[in-house]
Amino acid sequence: TDVPFDIKRVYCIHRTEPGVSRGFHAHLNLKQVVICISGSCRFRVDDGRTVEDYVLCKTDRALMIEGCVWREMHDFSHDCVLIVLASEHYDENDYIRDYEQFLALVNPPLTLCA
């Protein structure tokens, strides 16, 4: 199927050492499509209310990750190669690297009305 955004950046994630996990961040606006072209890995995605795990291991499947979704990558096989299609150019200001800050953003505290 078509990628639902204009692709502004493409990069690879590969040669991840055994036992190493990656990610541990969210983006404010960036959208990504991740395709595993070799090997496998497990993605954990969290929108602040629901946490889901997906194993990427087939080139005919892709994972679409919207903005404001926490992502972690675990259980990389030795031959794992991921291709990432991104909706925006790299922008450090788009990253949320603190999980508590992410939760506060997506689940703001309730206020009582008088």
Side-chain angles (χ1 to χ4, degrees):
T1 61
D2 294 335
V3 174
F5 53 78
D6 291 336
I7 300 168
K8 295 187 179 168
R9 183 167 61 118
V10 177
Y11 61 94
C12 292
I13 298 172
H14 60 98
R15 293 191 215 149
T16 301
E17 295 292 323
V20 171
S21 294
R22 298 184 61 167
F24 299 96
H25 67 272
H27 291 278
L28 292 168
N29 300 302
L30 183 78
K31 297 179 178 96
Q32 296 174 311
V33 171
V34 184
I35 305 160
C36 184
I37 61 170
S38 178
S40 64
C41 78
R42 178 174 54 89
F43 263 79
R44 172 162 286 174
V45 291
D46 175 353
D47 67 3
R49 291 173 289 292
T50 304
V51 177
E52 297 184 84
D53 286 337
Y54 298 94
V55 174
L56 297 183
C57 62
K58 296 181 179 181
T59 57
D60 65 342
R61 305 252 170 134
L63 181 62
M64 170 73 182
I65 306 173
E66 298 281 347
C68 284
V69 174
W70 189 263
R71 78 273 332 262
E72 300 174 6
M73 295 167 277
H74 304 278
D75 305 330
F76 287 89
S77 66
H78 72 282
D79 58 343
C80 183
V81 178
L82 301 173
I83 299 289
V84 183
L85 311 176
S87 65
E88 303 299 327
H89 297 288
Y90 177 82
D91 178 2
E92 180 61 32
N93 294 322
D94 190 60
Y95 280 78
I96 305 166
R97 297 185 186 276
D98 179 87
Y99 186 69
E100 295 304 318
Q101 180 186 4
F102 163 75
L103 288 177
L105 178 70
V106 296
N107 295 311
L110 298 174
T111 40
L112 296 175
C113 297

